[in-house]
Amino acid sequence: MISTIWPLHLRVRSGARLRPAIASAPPRVQDRGNKNGAGARGQMIEMQDAAYGYGAEPLLSDLSLQLPPGSFHFLTGPSGAGKTTFLKLCYAELLPTGGNITLFGHTATGLSRDGIADIRQKIGVVHQDCKFLDHLSVSENIALPLPVTGKGGMAQESNLNELVGWVGLTARAEALPPELSGGERQRAALARAIIMDPDLILADEPTGNVDWDMSLRLLNLLIELNKLGKTVVIATHDLALIRAAKQRVQARVLRIQGGQITAAGADL
Amino acid sequence: MAFLAVFAMALSMAAGRLADRWSDALAQSSTIRISAPPAEMEAQTWAVLTVLEQTPGVESARALSDEDQQALLAPWFGPDLPLDDLPVPQLIEITETADGYDADGLRQRLAAEAPGAVLDDHDRWRRPLAEAAGRLRVLGWLALVLILGATGAMVTLAAQSALSANEQVIRVLRLVGARDSYIARAFVRRFTIRALTGAALGVIVGLLAVAILPSARDTAAILTGLSFSGAGWFWPLIIPPLAGATAFAATRIAAFRTLRSLQ
Ligand SMILES: Nc1ncnc2c1ncn2[C@@H]1O[C@H](COP(=O)(O)OP(=O)(O)OP(=O)(O)O)[C@@H](O)[C@H]1O
Ligand SMILES: [Mg+2]
């Protein structure tokens, strides 16, 4: 299935078992505490006075919050406020320059490189710029985390096909990422994010460049996943999307502004 | 590289054989030449043999008979040489023990006991040659080590450029949760297999080349004698595994170092 992860003919052959979210029975949300690797107090992610700055000036500071398992969060704020930066802190692409961040019970700054990799295997990320390998087909990109994380076992082609169908990309499965439309890219990114059946889904502007109908479809995918017990964080500045979601799930809205994070009021 | 390594190995082994042959076979025998008036000849010969008997390091000594000497000289002067009429020196053949004797000490004693005796211990020219051959053998092995080192450096460079050419792929793999060992494995496998097959080919070609070199065992000349003998032909078989192990280690080190430098 994965023919060439490496463009320079560096092939990695590895059987991989597909275990997308939809293949598993919906677990009870409240059952999912420590069992799925959440921290001692049952939090997926916990921040205590965390701060981050790309340079000397802190971009974000005094971040204190908890993401409990099964919760649904929106992250909003003006462009350049630090939404992407916040999400990067959540999957340890960036480490806090101050305070403390606990990921699945592990202090982020104390993680080894392997420890970071292991935590990322439990987090599905929809990157703002998708981060595909352009020489691999859409379905190969979606299945990429499987051989990489050595989940082993026989490849279940049908599960991958089911997931590709679920995000409506069956007709485009063999296309290359640069040939996809913006909305197709974002659906493919979402499929890749959930193929490992992650406990936590971080979606960075998943509806950034799609029309309203497609936005709602993608939102519905994420709401379905949340109903399956996944913790979901969506960064967006689309307030209409947040309103639409609030009618269907219990979503908390976090607003990043001026380097601080605050719980948004009920005005949304 | 493997091709060169085969030659380095052949050189080293040929030099080793040469060194052994020269130092064992040749340097362990020497001769004493006695030139004296015919009247004193017999007495001096006995005196020399007595001295030799008492010299540590001399295994045996034998005065060549007239027939022996005639046989030695025949190729030059013909078989009818009237030895008795000529002032031909008496020759005494000495066989040394492995440790050898003290040549200077023996010379001094001979000068006192038999003034006509001259020790020709062959060492004057043989020993440097044997030493040179020995050095050539060390040089051969050193060349082998250098070739391995160069292989390691080449593999490191190639791996580093392959790693940086794949930097984007590596970043994406890290983002989806790949451990460094998973990423390194792809590179290590590729370069190890390449080194193994390349070295195997090189060894085959090298062995063929050595085999068809004009061999001249009798002349014992270093270049024409460049070959393997007996079990020596199997030694080059360690080159591919050695190259593979070198590539494995070099790529692994390069990969982990590069990976750590990527955020
Ligand atoms: N690698 C970087 N080095 C330096 N500054 C950076 C880097 N990445 C982001 N920034 C800056 O940090 C600030 C926050 O960036 P971030 O991407 O987190 O914003 P955002 O809220 O996601 O914006 P958008 O809604 O446009 O995606 C911006 O001013 C950006 O220019
Ligand atoms: Mg952003």
Coordinates of all heavy atoms in Angstrom, one line a residue, chain A residues 83-84 128 204-205, ligand 2:
Chain A
K83 N -3.0 31.0 17.5 CA -3.8 29.8 17.5 C -3.0 28.6 17.1 O -2.9 27.5 17.8 CB -5.1 29.9 16.6 CG -6.0 31.0 17.0 CD -7.2 31.0 16.1 CE -7.0 31.4 14.7 NZ -6.4 32.8 14.5
T84 N -2.3 28.7 16.0 CA -1.5 27.6 15.5 C -0.4 27.3 16.5 O 0.0 26.2 16.8 CB -0.9 28.0 14.1 OG1 -1.9 28.2 13.2 CG2 0.0 26.9 13.6
Q128 N -2.8 23.3 9.4 CA -3.4 24.4 8.7 C -2.9 24.3 7.2 O -3.7 24.5 6.3 CB -2.9 25.8 9.2 CG -3.7 26.9 8.7 CD -3.5 28.2 9.6 OE1 -2.6 28.2 10.4 NE2 -4.3 29.2 9.3
D204 N -6.5 22.6 12.8 CA -6.2 24.0 12.7 C -6.8 24.5 11.4 O -6.5 24.2 10.3 CB -4.6 24.1 12.5 CG -4.1 25.5 12.8 OD1 -5.0 26.4 12.9 OD2 -2.9 25.7 12.8
E205 N -7.8 25.4 11.6 CA -8.6 25.9 10.5 C -9.0 24.8 9.5 O -8.7 24.9 8.3 CB -7.8 27.0 9.7 CG -7.2 28.1 10.5 CD -8.2 29.2 10.8 OE1 -9.4 29.1 10.3 OE2 -7.8 30.2 11.4
Ligands
MG2 MG -2.8 29.5 12.3

